[in-house]
Amino acid sequence: MNYTFNSTKELKQFIAKEVLSSAEAIEYLGISRARLSQLIKNGKLIPIKKLQRDSLFLKIDVEKKK
C-alpha cells in the first residue's frame, strides 16, 4: 500500500491515527508483552520501525491479527 501526503499536517494526522506503539498494540490485541515479542520473532507481526525499547506498527497490520 502506498501513502501520499500533501503536507506535514496530513502526515502527522496519519501517524496519530494509523501508527501504534507496542503498548497500544498490546492493549488493542489484549495480549501480553511476551506474546507480542513472540509474534514479532515469528514474523507474524512486523513493526514498521524498531526502537531501543519500543516498536511501531501500522494499525492495519495489528487489526489483521485481531
Side-chain angles (χ1 to χ4, degrees):
M1 185 174 285
N2 292 325
Y3 299 99
T4 303
F5 305 101
N6 295 315
S7 67
T8 302
K9 182 180 178 182
E10 282 184 14
L11 173 60
K12 287 179 180 181
Q13 288 172 338
F14 174 83
I15 291 169
K17 289 181 182 180
E18 302 298 332
V19 176
L20 301 177
S21 67
S22 293
E24 291 168 324
I26 288 166
E27 184 178 335
Y28 185 86
L29 293 172
I31 61 175
S32 66
R33 185 165 292 279
R35 177 67 180 135
L36 180 66
S37 295
Q38 196 174 44
L39 289 171
I40 295 168
K41 183 179 177 183
N42 293 334
K44 295 187 177 184
L45 187 59
I46 300 169
I48 56 172
K49 183 165 185 166
K50 283 188 167 192
L51 306 169
Q52 187 174 357
R53 302 186 120 189
D54 205 356
S55 295
L56 300 176
F57 303 90
L58 283 176
K59 187 175 183 180
I60 193 167
D61 293 338
V62 174
E63 288 173 339
K64 290 176 186 176
K65 293 295 163 205
K66 187 134 181 154

